Amino acid sequence: MTRVTSTLPAGTRAIEVRDLHKYFGDNEVLKGIDFHVDQGQVVCVIGPSGSGKSTLLRCVNRLEEPTSGTILVEGVDICDPEVDLDEIRSRIGMVFQSFNLFPHLSVMRNLTIAQQRVRRRSKDEAVEIARNNLAKVGLAGKEDAYPAHLSGGQQQRVAIARALSMDPDMMLFDEPTSALDPELVGDVLGVMRDLAADGMTMMVVTHEMGFAREVGDKLVFMDGGVIVEEGDPREVLANPQHSRTQGFLSKVL
């Protein structure tokens, strides 16, 4: 893989969240989150179901609308009503729990349709980029397959290749292995490890503690809509300081 390089001014954070609140009706899901991801950093977010992890991730590219607070992506306030949200989203690759591939389109067409319509690339250029990214995720030769003919792990790797084909500055992963059979998880995590090694900025909501320990630069533990503890993944996992973190990790490690 080609190592990711940034053209941003030195010191510009990839993602910065300030006093973020999110309500669904009367239910406050995020309760004043302060959080950042530096360029080239891999930040893993863990916590029990309902803690607000996925909502935080989805707020970062405004798939969920924040109730209040500030979210800066590469220095741009994405909550500003005047912001070009499509342009900001073009910098952010997103991989979901479900693969969200178009079932009626081939793998190649899944990877080229947004390139042609959003990036305005020619068909030949889009196909070349798609082939390169399929090779990166170990799926060269699967261009003509349809999603239904692929395993879950292969579909998720196609989803990663599709996101990479848009040349994002950063990648957001929302529990990308949670829908996979255990024996398929390793292939997807391997692709993510390669991305991290090549300098891709990543925010990963995950239950894969081994991945967080091995690859993460920072670990964030959320519970009840707040960040309870954060720090070096190896230190937090080996010696959590907060009783809520201790209780959670005692059940998952």
Side-chain angles (χ1 to χ4, degrees), residues 34-35 42 99 102 117-118 120 140 144 148 153 212 220 226-227 239:
D34 292 291
F35 169 85
V42 178
F99 320 122
F102 297 113
R117 293 185 179 180
V118 178
R120 303 297 181 188
D144 297 328
V220 174
V226 301
I227 292 176
N239 189 28

Side-chain angles (χ1 to χ4, degrees), residues 18-153:
R18 303 173 185 164
D19 195 28
L20 178 64
H21 293 258
K22 172 63 181 177
Y23 283 84
F24 291 104
D26 294 330
N27 183 25
E28 187 177 19
V29 177
L30 299 176
K31 304 175 182 178
I33 298 290
D34 292 291
F35 169 85
H36 70 269
V37 180
D38 291 330
Q39 295 178 53
Q41 194 173 43
V42 178
V43 176
C44 295
V45 184
I46 66 170
S49 297
S51 59
K53 310 182 300 296
S54 292
T55 300
L56 171 60
L57 193 77
R58 292 170 67 86
C59 282
V60 166
N61 63 358
R62 275 185 56 189
L63 288 176
E64 293 290 354
E65 197 69 28
T67 303
S68 64
T70 301
I71 301 173
L72 303 176
V73 172
E74 298 181 330
V76 177
D77 182 358
I78 67 167
C79 298
D80 184 337
E82 301 300 316
V83 74
D84 183 345
L85 195 55
D86 289 336
E87 194 279 327
I88 293 294
R89 283 179 176 152
S90 73
R91 308 181 197 176
I92 306 172
M94 182 88 183
V95 178
F96 300 88
Q97 297 177 44
S98 54
F99 320 122
N100 289 356
L101 300 175
F102 297 113
H104 62 294
L105 299 180
S106 68
V107 165
M108 178 56 72
R109 193 62 183 135
N110 265 282
L111 267 67
T112 56
I113 187 169
Q115 290 191 67
Q116 292 179 260
R117 293 185 179 180
V118 178
R119 290 292 193 188
R120 303 297 181 188
R121 290 172 178 156
S122 69
K123 179 181 178 181
D124 288 346
E125 182 184 12
V127 166
E128 181 180 1
I129 290 169
R131 284 196 173 125
N132 288 338
N133 282 307
L134 285 170
K136 287 179 183 178
V137 302
L139 291 175
K142 294 292 186 181
E143 293 91 342
D144 297 328
Y146 284 79
H149 302 147
L150 302 175
S151 70

Side-chain angles (χ1 to χ4, degrees), residues 17 41 52 54-55 58 146 159 167-168 176 201 203 207 214 227 243:
V17 175
Q41 194 173 43
S54 292
T55 300
R58 292 170 67 86
Y146 284 79
D167 293 331
T201 302
M203 181 177 171
H207 292 297
E214 177 188 343
I227 292 176
S243 60

